[in-house]
Amino acid sequence: MAEYAKPLPEITAESRPFWEGCKRHQFLVQRCRACGARQHYPRGICAACWSDDIEWLPSSGRGTVYSFTVTYRTQARGFRDELPYVLAYVELEEGVQVLTNIVGGDPEKLVIGMPVRVVFEDVNADVSIPRFTPVG
Ligand SMILES: [Zn+2]
């Protein structure tokens, strides 16, 4: 495995189940048992009703591009080697939005509403980073 030069996620007690799901190449979302709301990123309480009765569910890993921007210039270590790269919000079928990268396609051909699916990059023995790629 090549050295991963980008910042690694800070794994907290609240986010650990999410990152463990990523290691299994499964994108988990939280669902509130009290009100049914789903959420991402991981939190200790429900953002809709403040209940702490939260469960983890596997998502389909499928969604659509909600919004995006293409970065053509940066000097940031780890990022400059991948120019141009896409920063995007993806809306999963489960209704939550994910701040992510779109990989594996031509950034010039990306459009809002395009279907995408999750892919995982195993960056070291403990961390796999979810990203999304165009479908079809
Ligand atoms: Zn709730």
Side-chain angles (χ1 to χ4, degrees):
M1 222 173 271
E3 186 202 350
Y4 187 74
K6 297 175 195 169
L8 288 167
E10 256 183 63
I11 298 175
T12 64
E14 289 174 359
S15 69
R16 183 168 305 281
F18 173 77
W19 292 110
E20 286 174 353
C22 288
K23 270 168 59 179
R24 302 189 304 271
H25 291 192
Q26 196 169 50
F27 194 101
L28 302 179
V29 298
Q30 290 181 311
R31 183 171 64 190
C32 173
R33 287 192 185 102
C35 78
R38 296 170 186 185
Q39 63 186 14
H40 177 83
Y41 56 91
R43 278 158 273 196
I45 60 169
C46 171
C49 77
W50 296 7
S51 167
D52 62 0
D53 192 7
I54 303 279
E55 64 182 344
W56 293 91
L57 300 174
S59 77
S60 68
R62 291 188 299 268
T64 54
V65 175
Y66 177 80
S67 186
F68 69 95
T69 185
V70 183
T71 299
Y72 290 94
R73 297 172 64 161
T74 183
Q75 290 304 312
R77 183 173 172 261
F79 293 90
R80 63 183 168 228
D81 303 328
E82 296 182 4
L83 293 172
Y85 64 85
V86 180
L87 183 66
Y89 270 106
V90 163
E91 187 161 292
L92 291 182
E93 288 179 343
E94 289 76 18
V96 301
Q97 290 184 355
V98 182
L99 182 61
T100 187
N101 296 118
I102 308 290
V103 297
D106 181 352
E108 299 291 336
K109 295 197 168 114
L110 206 59
V111 292
I112 287 171
M114 178 181 276
V116 291
R117 66 175 172 82
V118 71
V119 291
F120 292 90
E121 182 185 357
D122 301 321
V123 300
N124 65 34
D126 298 317
V127 176
S128 296
I129 305 284
R131 297 194 171 87
F132 287 80
T133 194
V135 173

